[in-house]
Every structure is written in C-alpha cells, then in structure tokens.
Amino acid sequence: MPTTREQLRRMVAEGKAPSGGFGWGELMEALEQMEQAPDTLEAEDADMLVGLLAQRGRVPLRGQPPVPHSMPPEELVQYRALKILQQAGRLDAARTSLERLAREPVAPALRDLARRLLTRGAPEEEA
Amino acid sequence: MHPEQPLSVYSLHFDHGGSDDGSIPLWCPVTQTRLGERPEWIRDHRSEPVAYVRGSRPSVAVTLLAHHFVPASFDLSAFGPSLSPGLGASTSIRWVGPHPVTLERMAGWTTLEVPLAFNRPLPNQIGAHALDLQWVAEWTDAEGTPRRLFLGGSRHELFTTGAPMRQAGHGGPPSGAYAPLVRWSSRWCAGLESRKDLCDAILRGLPETGLRYGVPAWTVRHMLVAGGGMCGGWYQLFQQLADCQGVRLEGRTLHLVPADDPRTDEVRWEAMVAVAPGINQVEPSRHIRMQGRFNDCARYPFTPEEPVELLSRHAARYCFMAGWEDGHCLNFLEDGGRLYLYDACFQTQAVELDMPLPPEDGRPVRLGRGASFRERYLHPTLPFLMGTLRANGRLWEVDLERGEFGITVRTEQVPELDILWTR
C-alpha cells in the first residue's frame, strides 16, 4: 500500500491520483512529516511540492472538503509546500509559482510569504 | 425616452477618467466591471452610484439628445438642492454652468467636448447623498427674449468619503472599491471624523450587510456574491470598508502554538474553540462547525493521576486548529497611542489592548494570565482550548475526522499559552 507521500509523487509525476482522491487529514500529515524533517527531503519530494504549487494546490480530495478559517484549502496546500521548500533550500525551482503568488489576490499570509521569499531569495530564513 | 422633449440630457458620466477630480472608481462585485466604464446615468436606462473624496469638485461628461426645433447654441446649467446641512435642502443652487453649448447636430446626440466642472465642491464630510439635478438650456431668441427650456432631471446616489483610498489594496478591485462597500461605509460613518469612531461605526454596521460568518469564501468579492465568508474574508472586508474612508488597518492572523509532550503523548493545545455562532448566524454554521461530544473540564490544571470531573456536552462549536495551517484573522487600529482590536466575526465592539501591534513574524509569544489580549479578547471570544490530555486513567485524543475532541479547558484556566502572529 503506497504512502500518501508516494501517492502525491505519483500524482504530480504521472498525473495519476488515487481513486477517490486523498483524505485531507492524510494530506496534511504527509506535508507535516516533510515539514518536520526538511533535511530528509528527496528530489522526488521537492519535485512533487513544486508540482503542487504549479497546479495551484489543487488536489483531488475525498469526503467532506475541509474548510480552514484563514485561507482556502488550495492556498493552504501551497503555503505549506512553500514553507517546506524554503526549509529544505529548494525554492529555486518554485520561482514561477512564487512570482504568481506574489501578484495574485491570494490570502494575505500566502502572498506575504511569497513576497518575502522572493525578496530574500535565501532559503534558510524562517518565515 | 421622452420623444416629446425637443432636447434632453441623455447621459452623465462622472468617473470618466479625464481629470483628477477626486472621483473613486466603483466596481460591481457580480460582474467585476467598473461602473464608470459607461456613463453612470443614462436617461430611463441606468442609474449607478458615484463616489468622491469629501470636498472634491466633480466634473461630469454630458451627452445631449436633440429631436427637433432646438436652438443651435445655448447655455447649459444644472440646478439642485444644496447637500450641505447648513444651507438646507430647500436651497437650490446652480451646481453646473452656465456653460456655452453648440450642438453638433439638430437631431441626434451631442457629447460636450470637455466634462463640465461643478461650480462648488461637495460637502466636506463623509456621507451618503441623493443629488437631484434639474437641467436647463437658456438662450436669447432672435427677438431678444430670454428663453429657457427644461432638459429633464437626473437623480444620483452620491457618496463622499473621508480620505483618498490606498491604491489597489489587497483583495480589492484593480482600483477604487466595490460599490456596496462604499455605500455601507459612507452611510455608517456619515459626519464622523476620528479614525477610531469610523472603525467603531463600521463594526456596528456590519450586521446590516446581511453577510454571514462561516460561509466558505475567503475574498471580499466572493463574500459579496456568496453572502458571507470565513474570517480570512471578513478581515479583508473590514479593511476595505475602513480603507473606503481612508483608514488603514493592520491585519493579523492569530495562530495557536501546540506543544507535544513525548513522555505522555499529550498535546497542549490542539485548537482554540469558539462557541458563539458568529455574525448574522443564529447557530454555528453547518459548513465549518464541529458537532459532537465535547468534554469540558471542570478545573485545570490537573495531573494525570488525580480524578477530574469532565462535563460531557453535545454541542456545535468552531475549532481553530493549532499550527500554521489554521488561525483566526483580526484587524488592529493604532490610534492616539493606543491599540484597538477589531474582530468582525465575533465582536460588536473594539477591544482596547495594552500591548504594541503584534509583529507578523511568526515567532511564538507566550501569554501569561494577566495579558490584556487574553483577558479582554481571548477569554470571552475563544473561551476553550482543546487538547490531547491524560485524565481519569486514559488519553483523551483529538481526532476531528473521527469526532473526538479530546478535553476542552476554559482558556482562562490555562496558566500560559503560546501563540504566534502572521499577516
């Protein structure tokens, strides 16, 4: 049984999402694992996160869609992907998405993060 | 149309972009188009509001429609009641003209080459006005007799705002503001001056919008179309309402910082919990509420070994999860050396705080019991903290997807809690 992380990699690389979609809790847990251990981030993980940003955080979900309070679910996925890439020093590949997020009317916190990362260009900075 | 009229005012265009006359571009949230792309007023066809910074002197682009037997040249004027309270509504003044006009054609449309400037400025205060104009042509005929022809009346919903807006503020239209926001804020803030009074009036007026808390929309435009939004939309809406009057607010998102205890598997805390239904809701919104059995702790702190009374309640509440992925969005106003918090979703009054504006740096801040932010805002607004805790011989876990809400503790009973702020 592939892990959520592996399923995410496959979805981005091959365009094949698991039938029925991802569980929101599992998706958040997979991102949290990467967030807690950015040093162990593999090249496929970084590619997957860049891919998630490129597809604007859209992930097929199953069950009741989540309703975060401060930003839409798709933007929350992008926010977390950016933070992981930043911590792992892999932001270079996400520059196109950063520029888009810095100018689009996304949640202020996400736009602010994108702008700061673009300005600093330093992946080791904590947001 | 009025075909019996030989000459009439056909259209009036205020936000014509031809001069810097203080006009504020108004936008329709439904179509995302600027009302001033076309004349705001077209006889018997269109009547859209217009807005100006207070004390501005508008100019209006005029198009006339001639049918038959009209003078080729005349002076054009518009009369209407004064909008200043001191002069009284019965006092008619000449708002426009006399302006010399020569028609391009005796039958058909003539648009005047240049917009006509008003003779006097608009009221120098915030307000929502109804401006009725009576348009007339005046000339002297071949016999030397003064003649006067009524060209029709026009009625305009006109707003005067407190100060220029920020250009292209976040989440707003490309310029100016959404028309409903200017209408609401200009009416609620009529005659007010101080920034604090303006923000207080906006907060008091919010229920009148009919917009509800707990609707899955996170932008102002989406809120206006969907009929409500989440706090991420509400704080932007409040910012834009204040910005309509030239007041800048600082938006912040409040996050709870969780602390895991690997020895006991406890987590303090997993969520901030609100019990109030939020603005324009009679019960917590079905879109986002957590419904089920909450275990409210009668006292705190306690050790895992000692028995503690848990009050099991079936309830619907809002849970703001700890960490970066969730939070509650608020606005702050700095005025006169004081800091005021505005929560558009759960509060009807500003909360004055003894603290500086929190930096949006994402760094944890520890709040002790006496912190004014806790006592004046957190305790009444987010009265519970939800945690995974050990009590009465077992671990009470939080798993929202399975409807397990751990143990809920009164926020005021918690000695210290860690939060952080982002924008």
Side-chain angles (χ1 to χ4, degrees):
Chain A
M1 180 72 181
T3 64
T4 304
R5 194 160 166 173
E6 289 165 344
Q7 288 176 325
L8 283 167
R9 286 180 185 173
R10 189 169 181 218
M11 180 191 75
V12 171
E14 303 169 25
K16 291 178 184 166
S19 61
F22 291 88
W24 177 254
E26 294 158 8
L27 176 64
M28 288 294 106
E29 201 175 318
L31 292 173
E32 191 173 342
Q33 284 170 4
M34 286 183 262
E35 206 169 315
Q36 287 173 348
D39 297 340
T40 64
L41 203 70
E42 296 176 24
E44 292 89 343
D45 294 321
D47 291 345
M48 176 262 287
L49 294 169
V50 171
L52 282 181
L53 285 165
Q55 62 191 50
R56 297 168 184 252
R58 290 180 195 132
V59 176
L61 296 173
R62 67 169 180 266
Q64 179 77 9
V67 187
H69 294 81
S70 55
M71 64 178 79
E74 297 83 1
E75 292 180 14
L76 180 54
V77 169
Q78 294 178 82
Y79 188 91
R80 298 195 74 163
L82 271 186
K83 285 188 69 68
I84 299 166
L85 288 170
Q86 174 205 11
Q87 288 168 357
R90 307 280 186 87
L91 274 173
D92 287 352
R95 187 159 186 91
T96 306
S97 294
L98 274 177
E99 288 169 347
R100 171 180 61 78
L101 291 167
R103 67 172 183 272
E104 283 189 350
V106 294
L110 177 57
R111 191 185 63 159
D112 206 42
L113 176 63
R115 286 187 173 177
R116 270 187 289 144
L117 296 177
L118 271 176
T119 307
R120 290 174 181 172
E124 71 275 12
E125 292 268 357
E126 177 61 41
Chain B
M1 282 308 299
H2 297 271
E4 72 279 8
Q5 279 189 266
L7 180 65
S8 62
V9 171
Y10 180 75
S11 71
L12 300 168
H13 196 180
F14 289 86
D15 177 21
H16 48 74
S19 61
D20 185 14
D21 60 1
S23 69
I24 299 169
L26 298 182
W27 289 71
C28 169
V30 176
T31 59
Q32 189 71 347
T33 53
R34 190 166 61 88
L35 300 181
E37 280 179 5
R38 295 182 291 142
E40 294 88 352
W41 185 89
I42 303 174
R43 177 173 292 282
D44 297 333
H45 178 68
R46 189 169 196 246
S47 183
E48 297 290 356
V50 295
Y52 289 86
V53 177
R54 64 182 182 178
S56 298
R57 208 170 140 215
S59 65
V60 59
V62 179
T63 297
L64 301 168
L65 177 57
H67 291 307
H68 55 90
F69 305 122
V70 291
S73 299
F74 52 86
D75 285 335
L76 177 67
S77 297
F79 296 84
S82 164
L83 298 178
S84 299
L87 289 176
S90 59
T91 307
S92 182
I93 61 173
R94 192 191 295 257
W95 280 102
V96 177
H99 182 83
V101 172
T102 298
L103 294 177
E104 291 173 14
R105 52 186 65 84
M106 303 301 280
W109 287 269
T110 294
T111 298
L112 306 193
E113 281 186 14
V114 292
L116 306 186
F118 276 38
N119 292 331
R120 61 174 61 205
L122 297 171
N124 192 26
Q125 62 178 23
I126 299 170
H129 317 274
L131 177 61
D132 286 302
L133 294 177
Q134 306 293 312
W135 294 83
V136 296
E138 295 169 301
W139 73 99
T140 303
D141 67 14
E143 285 78 39
T145 305
R147 302 288 300 271
R148 200 168 203 254
L149 181 64
F150 179 54
L151 306 186
S154 62
R155 186 180 178 89
H156 310 278
E157 187 182 15
L158 186 150
F159 310 116
T160 45
T161 69
M165 294 183 64
R166 182 167 35 191
Q167 287 300 307
H170 181 75
S175 60
Y178 291 113
L181 271 58
V182 179
R183 178 183 289 118
W184 287 325
S185 70
S186 299
R187 197 167 69 234
W188 300 334
C189 299
L192 299 177
E193 290 291 339
S194 89
R195 299 163 72 233
K196 168 74 166 39
D197 287 348
L198 295 173
C199 291
D200 288 352
I202 291 170
L203 193 66
R204 279 195 305 273
L206 283 179
E208 194 187 313
T209 65
L211 300 173
R212 290 168 293 130
Y213 174 69
V215 176
W218 289 265
T219 65
V220 172
R221 184 185 174 208
H222 194 176
M223 281 184 69
L224 293 171
V225 173
M230 305 299 293
C231 62
W234 273 101
Y235 88 137
Q236 293 184 61
L237 180 90
F238 195 82
Q239 285 169 25
Q240 290 185 29
L241 285 162
D243 192 29
C244 288
Q245 306 306 332
V247 178
R248 316 280 189 261
L249 293 171
E250 287 286 339
R252 294 287 186 276
T253 301
L254 164 70
H255 302 266
L256 187 61
V257 179
D260 299 1
D261 186 340
R263 296 169 304 163
T264 62
D265 294 329
E266 291 177 302
V267 183
R268 291 181 173 82
W269 301 95
E270 305 234 33
M272 301 177 286
V273 180
V275 297
I279 184 168
N280 285 332
Q281 291 280 14
V282 292
E283 60 179 10
S285 163
R286 62 184 172 82
H287 293 294
I288 57 166
R289 69 189 177 195
M290 294 293 164
Q291 193 158 8
R293 198 152 290 283
F294 289 82
N295 303 298
D296 295 347
C297 184
R299 64 181 171 81
Y300 187 84
F302 56 83
T303 62
E305 292 77 28
E306 60 186 311
V308 63
E309 185 182 0
L310 298 177
L311 305 172
S312 178
R313 299 176 198 272
H314 194 274
R317 296 171 174 173
Y318 298 122
C319 299
F320 298 82
M321 299 309 291
W324 293 97
E325 61 262 38
D326 205 359
H328 186 44
C329 302
L330 306 165
N331 283 303
F332 289 96
L333 170 71
E334 291 179 294
D335 191 49
R338 296 176 184 276
L339 184 70
Y340 300 96
L341 181 157
Y342 289 86
D343 181 349
C345 305
F346 292 112
Q347 293 284 337
T348 54
Q349 288 186 317
V351 180
E352 185 178 345
L353 298 171
D354 298 326
M355 59 184 257
L357 176 69
E360 76 276 24
D361 56 8
R363 296 184 194 282
V365 179
R366 176 150 293 181
L367 295 178
R369 269 204 175 109
S372 68
F373 176 71
R374 276 190 65 163
E375 292 188 344
R376 297 177 200 169
Y377 176 73
L378 272 187
H379 293 173
T381 313
L382 297 158
F384 290 101
L385 294 174
M386 180 189 290
T388 293
L389 301 178
R390 287 194 180 276
N392 300 337
R394 59 164 282 201
L395 184 68
W396 300 76
E397 288 186 86
V398 173
D399 187 337
L400 298 187
E401 290 184 4
R402 289 190 298 171
E404 294 176 5
F405 302 140
I407 290 179
T408 33
V409 173
R410 280 270 168 196
T411 308
E412 63 199 31
Q413 294 179 323
V414 175
E416 291 177 330
L417 66 112
D418 294 330
I419 61 165
L420 60 85
W421 299 96
T422 60
R423 188 169 288 276

